[in-house]
Amino acid sequence: MNTTISNSLLTASIKHAGAELFSIKDKQNKEYIWEGNPDFWGKHSPVLFPIVGTLKNNTYTINNNEYQLPRHGFARDMDFELVEKTENRAVFSLKSSTETLPKYPFEFELQLIYTLNENSLDIEYKVFNKGTEKMPFSIGAHPAIALPDKFEDYAFKFEKEEELKYYLLENDLISSKTKILETTNSIIPLNYELFKNDALIFKTLDSKSLTILKNQAPYVKVDFNDFPSLGIWTKENAPFVCIEPWLGYSDTDENSGNLYEKEGILILEAEKDFAAKFSITIAQTKTC
């Protein structure tokens, strides 16, 4: 089941399965989200919750009890309920259940709120701790921006001039090895060689937006002011790139396994809530 929202400039469509965005189109019917061809990657824009990335041995502990979670958690594989819908806005909800509690022993509600504002789609995450103890969690986005035409026609432009230090993955975990992404005026031309060691993972950035340029002109911009970390990823010869605002990331080899002690984890007090938002702006529809 799908839900579509629209305004005078854009149309966005969301699957109830995973509350996953799978389409942003302009009024010329141009598509900006990756189609999900499984020959490359069968998803479009999954939500990452209650972890981002991979746990060491896919295992963690709470109060000396051991639990298992797959890479990026379980929310992306579950059906959400549509709880509110207007012409340009849709709200989806996932609540803890007998299915989630054996994997993640916390009472929660996760909401995804999609809102079209002119030439931008705002995507807000709300997390509610419905329980009586502190709840550790991470949350992140994984939108895949479709890149038709030649991959090398595109480039990244970071908001600020800064040292772009990213961490390398080893066995899907964050290693201590780092590299510096070299830029010219904050611009990095795209090529598949950038991703030969998998994703580029930035634990911290001064920049809070990243623009994809096509032939030096703005194409799509992602703003992520509420997110300290960022992942960037694609696959060899794939006509898309994922720009992934994160609150949290994979384990390191040094992680104790205790989820409360995990690097980058968020701790939400009992009966409190948390919100974070990012946006995808279609630059060629209206100047961003």
Side-chain angles (χ1 to χ4, degrees):
M1 192 170 180
N2 304 327
T3 288
T4 296
I5 57 176
S6 63
N7 65 8
S8 61
L9 295 174
L10 298 175
T11 298
S13 297
I14 304 104
K15 297 179 181 180
H16 293 207
E20 183 179 8
L21 174 72
F22 70 93
S23 176
I24 301 176
K25 290 183 178 179
D26 62 20
K27 291 307 177 183
Q28 288 71 48
N29 211 37
K30 179 177 176 61
E31 179 63 75
Y32 291 87
I33 298 297
W34 163 241
E35 66 184 31
N37 181 344
D39 289 345
F40 291 105
W41 187 56
K43 296 185 181 295
H44 314 271
S45 180
V47 57
L48 317 181
F49 177 88
I51 58 168
V52 173
T54 303
L55 297 172
K56 188 165 58 175
N57 301 318
N58 294 315
T59 300
Y60 71 96
T61 61
I62 293 288
N63 299 328
N64 296 317
N65 294 314
E66 190 172 278
Y67 301 88
Q68 290 194 322
L69 280 174
R71 180 177 176 84
H72 294 323
F74 52 71
R76 62 181 180 168
D77 298 316
M78 300 192 71
D79 289 331
F80 282 64
E81 179 186 1
L82 178 66
V83 295
E84 184 182 331
K85 167 74 166 65
T86 63
E87 183 178 3
N88 72 321
R89 184 174 185 267
V91 182
F92 296 86
S93 172
L94 176 68
K95 295 180 179 179
S96 52
S97 64
T98 55
E99 185 176 355
T100 67
L101 289 169
K103 297 179 281 191
Y104 181 66
F106 299 96
E107 299 279 353
F108 71 87
E109 180 181 2
L110 168 62
Q111 290 185 355
L112 263 70
I113 304 166
Y114 293 91
T115 308
L116 284 170
N117 288 307
E118 296 187 341
N119 60 319
S120 295
L121 176 65
D122 295 334
I123 303 170
E124 184 175 9
Y125 301 131
K126 286 188 176 180
V127 181
F128 302 85
N129 183 351
K130 301 287 189 179
T132 58
E133 60 180 314
K134 295 179 180 181
M135 186 176 85
F137 74 97
S138 289
I139 194 161
H142 205 308
I145 307 301
L147 301 182
D149 307 317
K150 189 179 178 183
F151 194 75
E152 288 77 12
D153 288 345
Y154 298 88
F156 291 138
K157 181 174 177 59
F158 285 81
E159 177 191 18
K160 297 180 179 179
E161 284 273 9
E162 60 182 299
E163 183 180 74
L164 295 171
K165 182 173 75 172
Y166 65 94
Y167 289 77
L168 302 181
L169 288 169
E170 290 184 351
N171 300 317
D172 291 329
L173 302 182
I174 299 279
S175 76
S176 59
K177 297 176 183 176
T178 62
K179 288 189 174 182
I180 303 299
L181 198 58
E182 299 295 336
T183 69
T184 302
N185 298 322
S186 301
I187 294 176
I188 302 102
L190 284 193
N191 64 82
Y192 291 111
E193 186 71 12
L194 286 171
F195 305 97
K196 66 179 181 180
N197 294 314
D198 207 335
L200 310 180
I201 297 170
F202 303 91
K203 289 185 179 181
T204 59
L205 282 172
D206 291 332
S207 295
K208 292 301 178 182
S209 70
L210 178 60
T211 300
I212 300 174
L213 307 177
K214 182 178 183 182
N215 296 320
Q216 303 179 12
Y219 181 68
V220 171
K221 180 183 177 187
V222 179
D223 290 279
F224 47 92
N225 192 61
D226 294 340
F227 295 80
S229 304
L230 187 73
I232 306 175
W233 174 78
T234 191
K235 299 189 75 171
E236 181 72 24
N237 297 322
F240 69 83
V241 67
C242 293
I243 299 176
E244 308 173 38
W246 290 346
L247 284 149
Y249 36 79
S250 290
D251 272 354
T252 69
D253 271 330
E254 291 73 39
N255 278 107
S256 68
N258 183 335
L259 196 60
Y260 286 106
E261 299 173 353
K262 176 178 167 58
E263 186 177 321
I265 203 74
L266 301 173
I267 307 294
L268 188 57
E269 297 288 337
E271 301 181 347
K272 298 295 184 181
D273 59 84
F274 169 88
K277 180 174 71 175
F278 75 101
S279 64
I280 300 171
T281 299
I282 307 306
Q284 293 185 349
T285 298
K286 183 178 178 180
T287 302
C288 69

